[in-house]
Amino acid sequence: MLFPVQMNKIFFLQLIFNASMLLSLAIIYDLLAIRRHHDRSLLHQVPSGLIISLVGIILMLFSWQMAPGIIFDTRSILLGVSGLYFGAIPTAIAMTATAVYRGCTGGMGMIMGIAVILTSGVFGIAWRRMRRGQLADLTWRELIGFGLAVHLVMLLCTIFLPGTIRWQVLKNIALPVMLVYPAVTAMLGKLMAGRLKRERTHRQLRESEEKYQNLASVSPVGIFRTDVGGRTTYVNPMWCEISGLDAGAALGDGWLQAVHPSDRELLRQGWEDAARAHLPSMADYRFLHADGKVVWVMGRATLEKDSAGQVTGYVGTITDISERRQAEEIVRASLKEKEILLKEVHHRVKNNLMTIIGLIKMQEKKAAEATENTLLLELEGRIRSMAMVHESLYKSDNLARIDLRQYIKGMVLHIQAQFKTACNIRLEMRAVGIDVGLDIAVPCGLILNELITNAFKHAFPEGGADGGDGTPEVKVVTAAQDGTLILTVADNGVGFPASGDLGETQTLGLNLVRMLSQQLRGRVESIGKTGTVIRVQFPLPVK
C-alpha cells in the first residue's frame, strides 16, 4: 500500500508527464491544423472537433490510475481551452467522444470523469461567450484565473465519488491539481493565443497587400518596385500601358529596353548611382513603343525600409507627361516667335526714331539761325535717348529689361560726341549695374540727356571751371539705395545765376526733367555751392 506522500509524488509526476504530452500534441496540432480554430464554417469545425477528441482519448490512454476505476489526466485542460478558443461545435464533439470513451472504461470514478469532461468544456464555452476583446489578446493573468476556475470545479466534481473514498481522493489530488493544471492551462492558452496573433498579423498583411494590389491595379500612374540593387520586381498594369512593355519583360533590368535609346545610358547611370548610394531617384525620360510612339514620363522613386531601418528596395511611379511636354514645346515655340517679333518691333522703332533724327539733321543744315539749330540739336538728343533704349532691348537677351549702366554709358558718349567743341571737358561716370524695364529706362534716359546736355552747353561758357584744379568736369553718378534709384549730374562750372532757383526755372529742359520725375513718383533737387549738382531720386518698382 502506498503512503499519502508517496502517492502525491507519483500523482504529481504523472500529471507532469500527461501535461507534457498535452502540450506536445497541441504543438503538433498547431502546426498541422493552422487555420482551423478561427474558420467558422461547419466544414472545418467538425474535423477540429474530431482531432480534439482524438487528443483527449490519447491523454486518457496514458492517464494515472489512483484506484480501480479512478483515473486522472489532463483532459479538463484540453476541453476547457477547446471551449475557450475553438467554440461550441468542436468542443461539443470532443466532449461527446471523450465522455463516451470514459463511460466505456467504467469504474467507480466514471460519473466524476464524465462530469469533469462536461463542466470543463461548458466552462470554456461560457468564458468565451462572456469575455470581451479578442482571444489573441488573452493575458497570462486571465489564463491563470481561467485555469484555477476550471479546476476548482473539477475538484468539486469529487462529490460524485463514493462517500468511502471521496475525502481521501480529494486530499491526495487537490494540491497537485491546483499547482499543475492552471499553469498548464495558461501555457496551452498562450500557445493558442500566439497562433491567433500570428494569424491576425498574416491576415492583416494579406489584406494590406490585397489593398495595395487593388490600388496599384486601378492607379492612373505607373507603379513599380525594385529590390535593394535596383532590379525591378513588380510593375502595375498602368506602368505596362505607359511603357508599352509587358510585366514579365519589365522585370530585372528588362525595363531599360523600352527606354528611348537617346535617354537609355544616361538614365541607367543615374539609376545605378542612386541605387548604389541609397538615394531617391528623379528623372524625366522617354519610352519608345514598338510602333514608334514616343511617351514622355516623369519618374520618381523613393526608398523602402524595414522595421530596423534597413533599405529593402525602392517603390516608385511614372507619370505620362507627353501632353505637358507637347504643351511646353508649343509655348516655347510661341515664345520664340514672340521674342523674334518683339525684337523686330524694337528694331523698327529704333530705325524709325533714327529716321526722324536723320530728318532733323537735314533740317539743322538748313537752319538759318543758331537758336533754331540749337533747338533741333536738343530735340535730336531727346529722340536719340529713346532710340538707344530700343536698340539696347533689341541687342539684349532679355526683351523686357536693359542694363542701366551700359545704356547710360552709350548715351553719354553720344552726347559727348555731339558737342565736339567741348572735347576738353573731362567726363566721369559711375553707374550702378542694375536692370530696369522700359517704363524706367526711357524717362531716365530723357532726364539724363537733359541734365548732361545742359551741363555741356551752359556750365562752361568760357571753357574753364569755376573751382577745383581748373579742368572742366562733368560727373554722372547713378546709385541704388533702399529701393530708391538716385541719378546725379554734377559739374564744376559757373552754376545757376545768383538769383536763380531750380524750382522757378522755366526752361523746356528743366520742365521736362520735373515732369518726368513726377511721372516716376520722384523728386528733383539742386545741392552744393560750387558748380551745379542736380539730383533726381525715385523708388524702383518691386520685382
Side-chain angles (χ1 to χ4, degrees):
M1 181 178 179
L2 294 173
F3 293 103
V5 174
Q6 293 175 311
M7 183 175 293
N8 283 343
K9 183 177 180 181
I10 294 171
F11 180 50
F12 186 82
L13 292 174
Q14 188 66 31
L15 286 183
I16 294 292
F17 168 75
N18 204 256
S20 301
M21 181 183 295
L22 172 61
L23 291 174
S24 300
L25 292 171
I27 291 171
I28 293 171
Y29 173 79
D30 187 50
L31 294 173
L32 296 179
I34 293 174
R35 289 171 19 202
R36 296 187 186 277
H37 53 272
H38 72 82
D39 193 324
R40 304 310 303 160
S41 67
L42 186 63
L43 182 64
H44 287 90
Q45 291 189 76
V46 171
S48 294
L50 295 176
I51 293 172
I52 297 168
S53 302
L54 179 62
V55 173
I57 292 171
I58 293 173
L59 291 175
M60 286 190 284
L61 287 173
F62 291 91
S63 60
W64 181 68
Q65 185 170 308
M66 176 180 284
I70 301 177
I71 59 174
F72 290 94
D73 49 58
T74 53
R75 80 191 88 126
S76 58
I77 299 173
L78 174 67
L79 293 170
V81 171
S82 172
L84 182 60
Y85 282 97
F86 289 87
I89 294 176
T91 305
I93 293 171
M95 286 192 297
T96 302
T98 51
V100 168
Y101 179 81
R102 183 64 187 92
C104 292
T105 57
M108 56 182 172
M110 179 185 68
I111 297 177
M112 176 190 170
I114 293 174
V116 169
I117 289 171
L118 297 177
T119 55
S120 299
V122 170
F123 205 94
I125 295 169
W127 194 288
R128 175 190 177 94
R129 294 287 179 87
M130 289 187 296
R131 76 175 306 278
R132 295 179 180 179
Q134 297 187 357
L135 294 171
D137 299 324
L138 278 168
T139 63
W140 282 102
R141 178 182 297 179
E142 183 176 355
L143 288 169
I144 289 289
F146 173 73
L148 287 171
V150 169
H151 294 97
L152 280 174
V153 174
M154 173 186 169
L155 293 178
L156 289 176
C157 287
T158 55
I159 62 173
F160 295 108
L161 292 174
T164 54
I165 60 168
R166 182 185 306 150
W167 174 247
Q168 183 65 33
V169 169
L170 182 61
K171 185 170 64 173
N172 286 329
I173 69 169
L175 183 61
V177 164
M178 297 311 292
L179 286 176
V180 176
Y181 279 36
V184 176
T185 301
M187 285 188 283
L188 182 59
K190 268 297 177 181
L191 178 68
M192 304 304 293
R195 167 54 61 187
L196 286 178
K197 282 185 177 180
R198 288 191 294 276
E199 289 183 352
R200 182 173 63 186
T201 301
H202 292 156
R203 185 169 61 256
Q204 290 171 346
L205 181 60
R206 186 169 58 254
E207 290 172 355
S208 176
E209 288 179 347
E210 289 174 355
K211 288 178 182 178
Y212 174 81
Q213 292 288 350
N214 291 335
L215 287 173
S217 63
V218 299
S219 172
V221 299
I223 299 174
F224 64 91
R225 298 181 78 171
T226 77
D227 59 20
V228 69
R231 291 173 294 276
T232 302
T233 58
Y234 167 79
V235 292
N236 74 332
M238 182 54 71
W239 190 98
C240 297
E241 182 178 332
I242 294 173
S243 67
L245 206 63
D246 61 67
L251 300 182
D253 294 328
W255 63 278
L256 277 167
Q257 301 308 310
V259 176
H260 195 285
S262 301
D263 301 340
R264 188 177 299 157
E265 192 54 40
L266 184 61
L267 182 63
R268 181 204 301 273
Q269 189 61 48
W271 176 244
E272 289 177 353
D273 290 346
R276 195 161 36 245
H278 291 163
L279 294 173
S281 174
M282 296 180 289
D284 289 357
Y285 54 95
R286 291 167 291 175
F287 280 116
L288 180 61
H289 288 196
D291 59 2
K293 179 183 176 182
V294 175
V295 179
W296 271 99
V297 298
M298 176 178 64
R300 299 291 184 268
T302 188
L303 297 171
E304 277 194 308
K305 297 182 179 180
D306 59 19
S307 57
Q310 296 296 313
V311 176
T312 59
Y314 282 86
V315 61
T317 62
I318 59 170
T319 306
D320 188 343
I321 58 171
S322 300
E323 290 185 3
R324 191 188 80 185
R325 278 282 182 164
Q326 291 170 3
E328 287 175 355
E329 288 297 328
I330 292 171
V331 171
R332 196 175 294 112
S334 176
L335 288 175
K336 187 65 177 177
E337 291 175 2
K338 287 180 173 61
E339 182 180 334
I340 294 171
L341 179 61
L342 197 53
K343 277 183 176 286
E344 182 63 21
V345 168
H346 286 306
H347 184 57
R348 292 197 179 195
V349 170
K350 188 264 297 183
N351 286 346
N352 290 337
L353 291 173
M354 294 306 294
T355 300
I356 295 172
I357 290 172
L359 293 172
I360 292 173
K361 282 187 176 292
M362 291 173 63
Q363 190 65 37
E364 287 172 10
K365 293 177 182 179
K366 296 181 180 181
E369 299 180 6
T371 304
E372 184 180 346
N373 191 52
T374 301
L375 292 174
L376 290 172
L377 280 173
E378 290 177 358
L379 180 60
E380 178 189 338
R382 291 164 187 152
I383 295 173
R384 186 179 297 278
S385 71
M386 292 186 288
M388 289 181 65
V389 171
H390 290 281
E391 184 178 16
S392 298
L393 287 170
Y394 174 69
K395 293 179 179 179
S396 172
D397 292 332
N398 188 340
L399 296 176
R401 307 179 73 80
I402 64 171
D403 186 339
L404 187 62
R405 178 165 50 193
Q406 294 299 322
Y407 168 58
I408 292 174
K409 181 179 178 181
M411 185 179 64
V412 168
L413 292 175
H414 269 290
I415 295 173
Q416 190 178 32
Q418 188 179 27
F419 291 90
K420 296 174 183 174
T421 58
C423 59
N424 63 327
I425 297 175
R426 183 170 64 194
L427 182 63
E428 181 182 342
M429 189 189 76
R430 297 196 306 274
V432 66
I434 62 171
D435 292 338
V436 295
L438 194 65
D439 56 337
I440 298 293
V442 171
C444 278
L446 288 169
I447 288 170
L448 288 173
N449 176 74
E450 295 301 325
L451 295 178
I452 298 168
T453 300
N454 280 346
F456 273 91
K457 283 173 58 179
H458 305 298
F460 311 104
E462 298 180 2
D466 188 48
D469 60 5
T471 303
E473 183 179 51
V474 175
K475 293 182 179 179
V476 181
V477 180
T478 65
Q481 182 178 359
D482 297 330
T484 300
L485 185 63
I486 304 170
L487 309 177
T488 305
V489 178
D491 63 68
N492 58 354
V494 297
F496 280 106
S499 60
D501 183 2
L502 179 64
E504 297 177 357
T505 304
Q506 296 300 317
T507 64
L508 176 61
L510 288 177
N511 279 334
L512 185 60
V513 168
R514 281 192 292 270
M515 181 185 70
L516 292 170
S517 299
Q518 291 172 1
Q519 178 184 322
L520 294 170
R521 295 183 294 113
R523 67 177 187 271
V524 186
E525 56 184 343
S526 177
I527 59 176
K529 297 180 179 179
T530 302
T532 302
V533 180
I534 298 180
R535 177 180 294 164
V536 180
Q537 51 186 342
F538 53 86
L540 285 169
V542 179
K543 291 184 180 180

